[in-house]
Amino acid sequence: MTIKGVLFDASGTLLRIESAQSWLRGVLDDRGIEASDEEVRLYGERLDAVGAVPGGTPPRVVPDQLAAVWQARDSSEEAHRAAFTGLARQAELPWEGLYDALYERTFQPAAWRLYPDALDVLRGLRERGVRIAVVSNVGWDWRPVFDALGLTPYIDANIFSYEVGVDKPDPRIFRLACDQLGVNPAEALMVGDERQKDGGAEAVGCRYLPVEHLPVESRPDGLQAVLGMVV
């Protein structure tokens, strides 16, 4: 059946957050805090290891005291902030008051990098008349980042878990996305880097195309297969 709509995950699919070291350095510089490259490397590695960077390396272990809020992190802005600032505190940074500042850098376009082929693929879909949605498990508003990185003109619908009250892999979020695009799920393709979550689209009849969650420089053309599936 012809693909008339494509649903994209956001983080790890269309774009990815900067490295933990860059994330930390950006906040230190914004606050005028001096730190050596070795300190940034060391504490960046700690932040990465505990899974404190939204969209970065997931935590290997979630502390018991954060288990409930971690489970609910994509259901509200409050839970998302509490989960990630709580994880960041596990890194025991030597700088006062940095945990909320680190989290808030997540909202800044400067913290994000588009995959090299993202705009070309979205443009190609638009030229083919294919409708496009972003379906994201998230606890904050992606729209300003999409605006700054040039994604917005190609997106027909944004479905964010914290806004709609349901998250992937629940079939309802994929049905909602298809409804907003005005396409039958059998005519839709879901593209994402987490099979356990994004692959839930198959339950409503969508096709699913996995991509690898890699640094942007290591995945120059991972989205090109989307165009090959749309005729």
Side-chain angles (χ1 to χ4, degrees), residues 6-10 132-138 140 142-143 146 155-168 170 172-181 190:
V6 178
L7 320 179
F8 287 97
D9 172 54
I132 297 168
V134 173
V135 184
S136 177
N137 284 0
V138 69
W140 57 278
W142 276 111
R143 293 176 186 88
F146 292 171
I155 299 172
D156 299 298
N158 286 301
I159 298 88
F160 302 152
S161 60
Y162 83 105
E163 291 184 338
V164 301
V166 62
D167 56 13
K168 299 177 289 187
D170 191 309
R172 290 176 293 174
I173 198 168
F174 304 109
R175 289 197 192 97
L176 178 60
C178 290
D179 287 346
Q180 290 200 19
L181 293 184
M190 177 69 209

Side-chain angles (χ1 to χ4, degrees), residues 37-109:
D37 289 345
E38 179 59 22
E39 287 177 306
V40 172
R41 183 196 63 78
L42 172 63
Y43 288 103
E45 287 178 353
R46 288 193 184 183
L47 289 164
D48 192 56
V50 298
V53 187
T57 305
R60 290 190 288 270
V61 177
V62 176
D64 289 344
Q65 68 270 24
L66 294 176
V69 74
W70 177 256
Q71 187 68 26
R73 67 191 181 281
D74 295 321
S75 64
S76 72
E77 293 173 291
E78 294 77 15
H80 200 269
R81 178 183 288 269
F84 282 100
T85 56
L87 288 173
R89 286 184 172 87
Q90 306 305 304
E92 299 182 341
L93 303 179
W95 304 285
E96 291 294 328
L98 217 63
Y99 301 111
D100 279 301
L102 281 167
Y103 179 73
E104 286 159 12
R105 182 169 172 84
T106 308
F107 311 149
Q108 298 179 18

Side-chain angles (χ1 to χ4, degrees), residues 100-155:
D100 279 301
L102 281 167
Y103 179 73
E104 286 159 12
R105 182 169 172 84
T106 308
F107 311 149
Q108 298 179 18
W112 295 90
R113 308 286 184 270
L114 285 178
Y115 282 97
D117 57 347
L119 288 177
D120 286 343
V121 169
L122 294 179
R123 192 176 297 115
L125 292 173
R126 175 67 78 236
E127 290 169 353
R128 291 162 171 78
V130 176
R131 303 275 287 169
I132 297 168
V134 173
V135 184
S136 177
N137 284 0
V138 69
W140 57 278
D141 188 0
W142 276 111
R143 293 176 186 88
V145 173
F146 292 171
D147 288 346
L149 297 183
L151 294 172
T152 300
Y154 304 102
I155 299 172

